């Protein structure tokens, strides 16, 4: 990502993943107040790679980054006292976000990337109730509704750019029924998208995992990590966790299914995973 000489994402083999795991330099990324360390982010992505490729030794993978960190918390740092200007800032940044995701989807379609694991796109209409985007609360809410509709529509069209790529999204770790919120994943019910919730080692639903009708599958999320030393959170102790781990576990299964039959389309792989799962809620 940081190397301007690399014009396209680089596909790596399983044998090369250890080069990612041993990168222990502080990961620097900008925010509204300057630059800060985000060491856990590199480990977080490497955790997903290890879980996706475990047992799939000759599969190639690539990191396709569309940065969603602090989205959209840092927008007000660019605001002025001009409401029209502020609305234009938010609209412009949303356009950039959608275009970035669309470019990633077009890349997947062009190079026949079959499985993509994505951390939850957890945008909510309330995230856009930004002070400075309206003269009063009613005007602010109306703008938020408009901009969120643009985001949902843009993301849906972006997914359609790669109809034969199966996207595995993590459900999120807020312990909520996603049907009770206007969350992004509630509005994308498409044949090439599968939302994954998390199970503990005893195969009961993890207390932190989001749930509800929009979550298509639950998968084990807690495994010892060999390549990645995931120390971002003290309670993990080099163990995977969260729906960010459940999603790559489901992606691993999708990869294995495609190994058996590469001619399956994304919708068929999704349906095979759902049909093959136990229907007893959160149990074995």
């Amino acid at each position: 990502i940081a190397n301007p000489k690399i014009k396209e994402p680089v596909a790596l083999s399983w044998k090369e993943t250890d080069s990612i795991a041993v990168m222990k330099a502080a990961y620097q990324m900008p925010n509204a107040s300057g630059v800060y360390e985000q060491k856990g982010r590199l480990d977080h992505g490497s955790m997903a790679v290890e879980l996706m490729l475990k047992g799939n030794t000759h599969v190639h993978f690539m990191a396709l980054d569309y940065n969603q960190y602090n989205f959209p918390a840092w927008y007000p740092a660019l605001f002025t006292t001009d409401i029209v200007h502020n609305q234009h800032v938010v609209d412009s940044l949303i356009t950039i976000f959608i275009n970035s995701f669309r470019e990633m989807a077009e890349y997947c379609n062009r190079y026949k990337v079959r499985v993509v694991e994505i951390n939850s796109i957890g945008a909510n209409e309330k995230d856009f109730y930004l002070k400075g985007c309206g003269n009063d609360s009613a005007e602010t809410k109306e703008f938020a509704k408009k901009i969120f509709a643009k985001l949902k529509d843009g993301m849906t069209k972006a997914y359609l750019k790669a109809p034969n790529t199966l996207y595995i999204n993590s459900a999120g770790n807020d312990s909520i029924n996603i049907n009770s919120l206007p969350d992004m994943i509630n509005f994308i019910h498409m044949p090439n998208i599968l939302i994954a919730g998390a199970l503990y080692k005893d195969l009961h639903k993890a207390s932190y995992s989001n749930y509800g009708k929009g979550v298509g599958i639950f998968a084990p999320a807690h495994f010892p990590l060999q390549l990645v030393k995931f120390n971002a959170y003290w309670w993990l102790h080099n163990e995977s966790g969260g729906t960010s781990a459940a999603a790559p576990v489901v992606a691993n299964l999708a990869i294995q299914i495609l190994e058996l039959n590469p001619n399956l389309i994304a919708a068929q792989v999704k349906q095979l995973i759902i049909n093959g799962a136990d229907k007893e809620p959160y149990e074995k």
Side-chain angles (χ1 to χ4, degrees):
I1 294 168
N3 189 341
K5 294 180 180 179
I6 298 177
K7 303 302 182 184
E8 299 282 3
V10 179
L12 301 174
S13 69
W14 169 250
K15 294 179 181 179
E16 294 171 293
T17 56
D18 58 346
S19 64
I20 294 178
V22 299
M23 290 175 65
K24 295 303 177 185
Y27 189 92
Q28 302 285 338
M29 62 177 290
N31 66 4
S33 60
V35 174
Y36 66 97
E37 292 185 0
Q38 186 69 31
K39 294 181 180 179
R41 189 174 180 220
L42 187 65
D43 286 345
H44 187 273
S46 300
M47 172 187 73
V49 170
E50 178 171 336
L51 293 174
M52 280 184 75
L53 300 192
K54 187 175 183 179
N56 298 315
T57 54
H58 69 279
V59 171
H60 280 68
F61 76 95
M62 59 195 72
L64 301 168
D65 183 45
Y66 70 104
N67 186 9
Q68 69 179 46
Y69 267 73
N70 294 330
F71 166 74
W74 53 270
Y75 287 15
L78 304 175
F79 286 0
T80 68
T81 57
D82 186 341
I83 291 173
V84 175
H85 165 82
N86 299 344
Q87 291 184 350
H88 177 70
V89 166
V90 176
D91 184 75
S92 298
L93 291 171
I94 288 297
T95 299
I96 293 171
F97 182 86
I98 292 170
N99 288 344
S100 173
F101 195 87
R102 189 193 71 240
E103 289 171 7
M104 185 271 282
E106 289 173 345
Y107 182 93
C108 290
N109 188 60
R110 185 163 68 248
Y111 291 101
K112 296 180 173 58
V113 178
R114 299 305 311 274
V115 181
V116 173
E117 185 270 331
I118 302 179
N119 285 330
S120 177
I121 305 174
N124 188 294
E125 185 178 310
K126 292 181 179 178
D127 292 336
F128 297 95
Y129 290 174
L130 298 169
K131 187 177 181 180
C133 286
N135 289 300
D136 52 35
S137 61
E139 192 174 300
T140 300
K141 288 182 179 180
E142 186 63 29
F143 173 74
K145 183 177 181 180
K146 175 184 174 182
I147 208 70
F148 190 62
K150 176 179 179 176
L151 177 63
K152 290 185 293 184
D153 182 60
M155 293 298 293
T156 302
K157 290 178 179 177
Y159 276 110
L160 290 171
K161 295 288 184 180
N164 204 30
T165 300
L166 180 61
Y167 291 92
I168 315 291
N169 287 49
S170 59
N173 304 315
D174 302 308
S175 307
I176 57 174
N177 185 331
I178 63 173
N179 298 322
S180 66
L181 292 174
D183 195 273
M184 173 65 71
I185 54 180
N186 281 341
F187 295 92
I188 304 179
H189 298 290
M190 297 169 64
N192 64 331
I193 295 175
L194 181 57
I195 311 299
L199 302 174
Y200 284 129
K201 291 178 181 178
D202 63 1
L203 302 184
H204 285 71
K205 184 181 78 69
S207 60
Y208 55 75
S209 178
N210 288 352
Y211 58 95
K213 192 175 181 181
V215 181
I217 200 80
F218 284 82
H222 291 261
F223 296 94
L225 294 171
Q226 296 179 353
L227 287 180
V228 183
K229 300 303 180 186
F230 191 38
N231 291 312
Y233 306 104
W234 65 268
W235 45 271
L236 284 178
H237 300 295
N238 297 330
E239 179 180 286
S240 67
T243 57
S244 293
V249 167
V250 176
N252 185 301
L253 176 58
I255 291 169
Q256 292 186 60
I257 291 172
L258 285 166
E259 289 279 335
L260 294 172
N261 187 350
N263 295 320
L264 293 170
I265 63 173
Q268 291 173 316
V269 177
K270 173 183 175 178
Q271 206 55 51
L272 281 169
I273 292 173
I274 292 174
N275 291 348
D278 197 302
K279 302 305 182 291
E280 192 72 26
Y282 318 137
E283 299 288 347
K284 296 180 182 180

